[in-house]
Amino acid sequence: MDQLELRDDEIEALGMRGFFVRDAFLGKERAHAVHSEARERAQAGTLKPAGIRRGADRTEDTSVRDDFIGWILPEAGSALGSLWEAFSELGGALSAGAYLGLGRFDLQLAHYPGGGARYVRHRDAFPGQSNRRVTAIYYANPDWRPEHGGMLRLYLEDGTLDVEPTLDRLVVFLSERLEHEVLPAHAPRLALTAWYYGRDGAGLR
Ligand code: OGA
Ligand code: MN
């Protein structure tokens, strides 16, 4: 496989607007394999409701987010394992191309079951507080149609942009900079999200 490299326009977009979108990240065949494995995990019933509060009563807080999540670990020979490798390379490319000084990352599978499941407007990190620097989301929805909803809404300086969660699409944004939300999904929606941490543990200024 060719070494993953960022294009100049992607690096520029990340700096200027705080994000970029790349289609055909893995190629059709690998993308479908990721979709199959991700769907299997979702159907196996081992994912956990993401909206559980960490507080005393641990009740489900469905007003914030309605997805079910699990962590993806490196694993040789599987499609999700190869996606993990691709995210690892992406981290290296972001550090080399955009001087972001990224270190480790976590990779999460999120399944929105449909029925209007959403994730309200939020940020993944807060300046000076978190060491999450970059968010990268990979979508695994081969049959996505506009009526399925579940767009990723990005809140940019000059308005909002809705990104369709289509198969093999990658969205990369600065975790502290961009507010975003998942609009209500009316069909099952699969996303794999990596959060890259700063090598020094400090936030990006
Ligand atoms: C998140 C998130 C967006 C998406 O998990 O923090 O914002 O498009 N996900 O799945
Ligand atoms: Mn988020």
Side-chain angles (χ1 to χ4, degrees):
M1 194 173 65
D2 294 339
Q3 190 61 34
L4 200 159
E5 274 186 49
L6 297 179
R7 297 192 311 262
D8 290 347
D9 61 298
E10 291 171 332
I11 293 168
E12 190 179 319
L14 194 60
M16 300 289 288
R17 308 191 75 199
F19 81 100
F20 71 83
V21 178
R22 181 192 285 200
D23 284 320
F25 181 53
L26 297 180
K28 257 209 173 96
E29 200 173 316
R30 289 172 73 197
H32 280 285
V34 166
H35 162 71
S36 303
E37 287 184 16
R39 192 183 49 188
E40 267 170 40
R41 288 216 191 179
Q43 287 174 348
T46 52
L47 303 180
K48 303 268 184 286
I52 285 185
R53 283 205 191 111
R54 308 218 196 293
D57 59 5
R58 296 180 66 88
T59 51
E60 283 176 45
D61 184 3
T62 49
S63 60
V64 176
R65 60 188 295 189
D66 311 311
D67 55 333
F68 292 77
I69 57 169
W71 300 100
I72 303 296
L73 301 172
E75 179 189 68
S78 73
L80 288 173
S82 92
L83 179 65
W84 191 96
E85 290 298 334
F87 272 121
S88 175
E89 281 193 29
L90 176 65
L94 286 162
S95 292
Y99 307 105
L100 285 167
L102 304 179
R104 58 177 288 271
F105 65 95
D106 292 325
L107 180 57
Q108 182 179 81
L109 167 63
H111 174 236
Y112 292 74
R118 62 201 283 260
Y119 189 166
V120 300
R121 181 173 175 173
H122 67 280
R123 234 187 272 265
D124 287 348
F126 294 91
Q129 188 188 58
S130 168
N131 49 8
R132 274 182 179 176
R133 287 187 167 191
V134 172
T135 303
I137 311 177
Y138 179 78
Y139 296 111
N141 305 297
D143 304 315
W144 186 88
R145 292 199 301 272
E147 59 267 32
H148 293 165
M151 270 88 71
L152 171 69
R153 176 163 289 175
L154 298 175
Y155 290 85
L156 307 172
E157 269 163 30
D158 51 357
T160 62
L161 177 74
D162 293 346
V163 180
E164 298 167 352
T166 51
L167 185 74
D168 210 17
R169 171 169 279 177
L170 178 78
V171 181
V172 177
F173 59 86
L174 300 177
S175 308
E176 290 179 354
R177 185 146 141 198
L178 283 206
E179 285 190 76
H180 55 282
E181 78 178 285
V182 178
L183 299 177
H186 306 295
R189 174 194 197 269
L190 293 165
L192 291 122
T193 301
W195 289 282
Y196 296 88
Y197 296 84
R199 219 174 268 149
D200 52 4
L204 181 72
R205 303 333 304 269

